[in-house]
Amino acid sequence: MSLDIWLIYIATVFLFMITPGPSHLLMLSNSMTHGYKRSLATAAGDLSANALQMLAAGLGLAAILVASQDAMTIIKWLGVSYLVWMGVKMWRQADTVKSGQKAAGSASLKVLWAQGFITSAANPKAVVFFAALFPQFIDPNHAFWPQFLILSICYIIIDALFLNFYGASASWLSRRLKGHAKVLIHKIGAVFLVGAAIILSMKTLRDSA
C-alpha cells in the first residue's frame, strides 16, 4: 500500500465519521449522564464490535450475512428496540435526578460496554461495509493481511478519536450545568438514545425496501 493510497483512505474515513451515527449519539448520552471516564467503556464496546466486524469481513463472512437477510433484520430491530428502551428509561429517571447526585452509579462499566457493543453490532451490514471499503485500498500485488490490519487499526483509531471528542464535549457541557439543567441534560441524553434508534430504524427500513 502506497502512502498516497493510505492518505486517501484516512481522508475517506474522516469524511465518513463527520456525520454522527448511533454509536456517537450513544457516547454523547452516556458521557452526559455517567461522566466522560465511564463513557469510555461505551467507546470500548463499540470498537470491540467494529473489530469483530472487520475480522468477519476479512474472513469472507460478508456474503453469509448478505444471504441471511432475515437474521440480519432481526438483529437490527433488536438493537433499535434496545436503544428505545434505554431512552425511555432514562427519560423517566430524569425527574429523579437532583443537583449533586452522582448519576454515574446508575450503570456499571460492564453495562456501558454492552450498550456500546450492542449498538454497533445491531448494524451487521457494517461487515459488508468493511468488505466493500477495504478492497478499494488494498494492493493485490502485496500480502493481504498486513494491509488489512493497517486499514482496520487506522479505522479504529479514527473512530476512537471521534468517540472521545463527542464524549469529552458532552461531559464538559454537563459539568457546567447545575440544578434543573441536570434534569435537562438527562432528558437530552434520552433524546440522543432515541435518535440513535431512529437512525438505525431508518437504515433498516431503507435496506428492506
Side-chain angles (χ1 to χ4, degrees):
M1 182 193 307
S2 67
L3 177 61
D4 291 344
I5 295 298
W6 180 77
L7 290 175
I8 293 174
Y9 170 75
I10 296 298
T12 300
V13 175
F14 263 99
L15 290 174
F16 172 74
M17 291 288 178
I18 286 176
T19 303
S23 296
H24 296 137
L25 294 179
L26 176 65
M27 187 70 179
L28 282 168
S29 174
N30 282 350
S31 184
M32 282 182 174
T33 55
H34 302 291
Y36 170 66
K37 290 184 178 180
R38 294 180 67 82
S39 73
L40 292 177
T42 300
D46 171 64
L47 297 176
S48 297
N50 281 341
L52 292 177
Q53 290 163 335
M54 292 175 190
L55 179 60
L59 294 175
L61 294 180
I64 296 176
L65 284 178
V66 171
S68 182
Q69 291 292 337
D70 290 340
M72 185 183 298
T73 300
I74 291 174
I75 293 174
K76 287 182 179 181
W77 284 115
L78 285 175
V80 169
S81 301
Y82 180 67
L83 288 176
V84 171
W85 176 78
M86 287 195 300
V88 172
K89 180 180 179 182
M90 184 180 295
W91 183 276
R92 289 178 175 176
Q93 291 176 340
D95 292 330
T96 66
V97 176
K98 297 178 181 179
S99 179
Q101 281 187 324
K102 186 171 65 174
S106 60
S108 67
L109 293 178
K110 184 177 180 180
V111 169
L112 295 176
W113 181 92
Q115 290 176 357
F117 185 90
I118 291 173
T119 301
S120 183
N123 181 24
K125 263 197 173 176
V127 178
V128 181
F129 168 77
F130 291 128
L133 175 67
F134 288 175
Q136 311 300 322
F137 303 95
I138 290 178
D139 188 343
N141 297 317
H142 295 83
F144 171 81
W145 284 109
Q147 296 181 82
F148 188 87
L149 183 62
I150 291 173
L151 295 176
S152 299
I153 291 175
C154 289
Y155 184 95
I156 288 177
I157 290 175
I158 294 173
D159 195 10
L161 290 174
F162 273 87
L163 288 169
N164 275 271
F165 170 76
Y166 286 122
S169 299
S171 179
W172 179 87
L173 177 62
S174 179
R175 288 197 306 270
R176 280 154 180 77
L177 297 177
K178 305 295 182 181
H180 293 295
K182 284 286 187 180
V183 177
L184 177 61
I185 283 294
H186 221 67
K187 290 187 175 182
I188 290 175
V191 171
F192 279 137
L193 287 179
V194 176
I198 292 174
I199 291 176
L200 279 177
S201 64
M202 291 176 63
K203 288 182 177 180
T204 302
L205 291 173
R206 185 176 65 246
D207 293 340
S208 301

